[in-house]
C-alpha cells in the first residue's frame, strides 16, 4: 500500500498516561498534516509540516500535545497526561506541497484513541 | 479564522434521485474547496474539488458549484446509488496545501 499509513490503528490508555502516534506520508510528499475527528464531526486541524519545519499549530493544540517530523519523512504526535477529552480519531494527511493544480491532501486510516 | 457551515446534517433520497449538499464559508481569502466522502470506519477520500477561479466542475455523476460572491458552494450527486451512502464533508482553505477547515458533515442515505 503506497498511501498514507498510521500506527497504531487503535490505542486504549488510562487517563494520565502518555501516548505517541506515528504517521508515514506518501513518498515524496513534503507536507504533512495532523487532524483530529470526534464522533459526528468533521476533522479539525491540529498542526502541519513542510518537510521538517512545523509551519502552524492550531489553538486546539494544548501544551500537552507535541508533534515532530525530524527528518522530513514520518511524523509523530505525542499526547502527554492524556485526558478523557482527548478520545478521538487522529488523522494524518499528506500532500506534495507543490503549487500545481493537481495536488491534494490524502488521508491516512487514522489512529483511534480511547482514554479511560 | 475560517468557519464552514454545512447543511443538511442528514439526507435521505431514493435511489436514482439527486442529492444536494450546501456549504457556506466566512473567509474571503479561501480559494480551494474540496469535498470528501467518508464511509463508516474508513478514511476521508477526496471526491471532487474546485478552485475559486472556476464556478462549476463536473465529474460523471458528481458536480460542485461555487458562488464566491455569496461565499457558498454545493455538491450535487445525480442518479444516486446505494454505494453513495456515506458521510460527506465540505472544506475550505487558502490553497491546496494549507490546512483545511471542514464542515460538520452530511450523512447521506440512498434507499434502494
Amino acid at each position: 500500500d503506497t498511501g498514507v499509513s498510521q500506527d497504531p490503528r487503535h490505542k486504549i490508555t488510562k487517563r494520565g498516561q502518555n501516548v505517541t502516534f506515528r504517521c508515514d506520508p506518501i513518498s515524496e510528499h513534503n507536507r504533512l498534516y495532523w487532524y483530529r475527528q470526534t464522533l459526528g464531526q468533521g476533522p479539525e486541524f491540529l498542526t502541519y509540516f513542510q518537510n521538517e519545519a512545523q509551519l502552524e499549530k492550531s489553538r486546539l493544540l494544548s501544551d500537552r500535545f507535541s508533534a515532530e517530523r525530524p527528518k522530513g519523512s514520518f511524523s509523530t504526535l505525542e499526547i502527554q497526561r492524556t485526558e478523557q477529552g482527548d478520545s478521538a480519531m487522529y488523522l494524518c494527511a499528506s500532500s506534495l506541497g507543490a503549487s500545481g493544480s493537481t495536488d491534494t491532501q490524502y488521508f491516512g486510516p487514522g489512529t483511534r484513541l480511547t482514554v479511560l | 479564522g475560517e468557519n464552514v457551515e454545512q447543511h443538511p446534517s442528514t439526507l435521505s433520497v431514493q435511489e436514482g434521485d439527486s442529492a444536494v449538499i450546501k456549504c457556506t464559508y466566512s473567509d474571503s481569502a479561501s480559494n480551494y474547496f474540496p469535498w470528501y466522502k467518508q464511509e463508516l470506519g474508513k478514511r476521508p477520500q477526496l471526491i471532487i474539488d474546485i478552485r475559486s477561479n472556476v464556478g462549476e466542475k463536473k465529474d460523471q455523476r458528481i458536480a460542485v458549484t461555487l458562488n464566491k460572491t455569496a461565499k457558498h458552494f454545493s455538491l450535487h450527486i445525480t442518479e444516486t446509488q446505494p454505494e453513495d451512502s456515506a458521510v460527506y464533508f465540505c472544506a475550505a482553505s487558502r490553497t491546496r496545501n494549507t490546512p483545511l477547515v471542514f464542515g460538520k458533515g452530511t450523512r447521506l442515505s440512498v434507499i434502494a
Side-chain angles (χ1 to χ4, degrees), chain A residues 1-114:
Chain A
D1 185 358
T2 56
V4 179
S5 61
Q6 293 185 245
D7 185 68
R9 296 291 307 277
H10 303 273
K11 178 70 178 178
I12 300 173
T13 192
K14 292 183 179 179
R15 188 162 48 104
Q17 297 294 305
N18 299 344
V19 294
T20 300
F21 310 141
R22 175 178 170 130
C23 171
D24 286 87
I26 294 172
S27 179
E28 298 180 357
H29 275 196
N30 295 319
R31 295 219 166 171
L32 186 149
Y33 313 77
W34 286 99
Y35 294 86
R36 179 171 67 189
Q37 186 176 26
T38 53
L39 200 61
Q41 301 293 316
E44 293 176 299
F45 165 70
L46 295 178
T47 188
Y48 81 121
F49 294 84
Q50 167 77 24
N51 298 316
E52 64 274 12
Q54 190 170 19
L55 296 184
E56 185 179 343
K57 291 192 289 187
S58 163
R59 285 171 291 178
L60 289 176
L61 212 64
S62 78
D63 292 343
R64 296 184 297 105
F65 288 68
S66 62
E68 294 183 337
R69 194 181 182 199
K71 296 182 180 179
S73 56
F74 72 92
S75 175
T76 57
L77 178 67
E78 181 183 17
I79 308 174
Q80 295 183 328
R81 305 181 302 281
T82 52
E83 301 173 357
Q84 288 185 324
D86 297 331
S87 296
M89 175 74 83
Y90 289 83
L91 292 164
C92 176
S94 72
S95 68
L96 270 172
S99 58
S101 62
T102 59
D103 199 9
T104 192
Q105 293 184 33
Y106 295 90
F107 281 83
T111 294
R112 181 167 295 286
L113 173 66
T114 302

Side-chain angles (χ1 to χ4, degrees), chain B residues 9-31:
Chain B
S9 57
T10 60
L11 180 60
S12 291
V13 298
Q14 291 290 130
E15 182 179 0
D17 287 350
S18 296
V20 180
I21 302 170
K22 299 183 179 182
C23 289
T24 61
Y25 63 98
S26 61
D27 187 354
S28 56
S30 289
N31 286 305

